[in-house]
Amino acid sequence: MKDDSALRTQSVDDHVPEQLLAFALEALLTRETGWVNLVPALARRFPHAEAVDIAIALTSAAAEIEHSFVPSSPSMDAARHGYKLAAVLMLEMHAQRLQGRPVRMAGDLLEMWHERPFLDLG
């Protein structure tokens, strides 16, 4: 019997440009602080990607980390941060859409995303 979750993950990963996914994975695994700045870093590196692809890349990278490391690994913090960033990003994009300013391209995230001291990703 085939694992349906692997098929679903692969179809999502196929939608995200491979370089974006690889960059998100590396960034999550090597970053120790400055998590909020990761979204602008991805947007600057891939400004012509769809904005939603940034959230998908963060989620897919977090899932890959969970799949690749044991639960007690310090790398699990990176997965947790990836999921949080993706969720906050999607909420921000939704709020922008409701205000009549939909965010379509990753480069557009730079205009709406800025350092938020209240956002505790620690």
Side-chain angles (χ1 to χ4, degrees), residues 71-94:
S72 60
S73 170
S75 296
M76 287 301 139
D77 282 344
R80 187 171 44 94
H81 289 299
Y83 287 131
K84 283 183 175 183
L85 282 171
V88 170
L89 177 56
M90 291 304 294
L91 287 171
E92 289 281 344
M93 290 173 58
H94 180 66

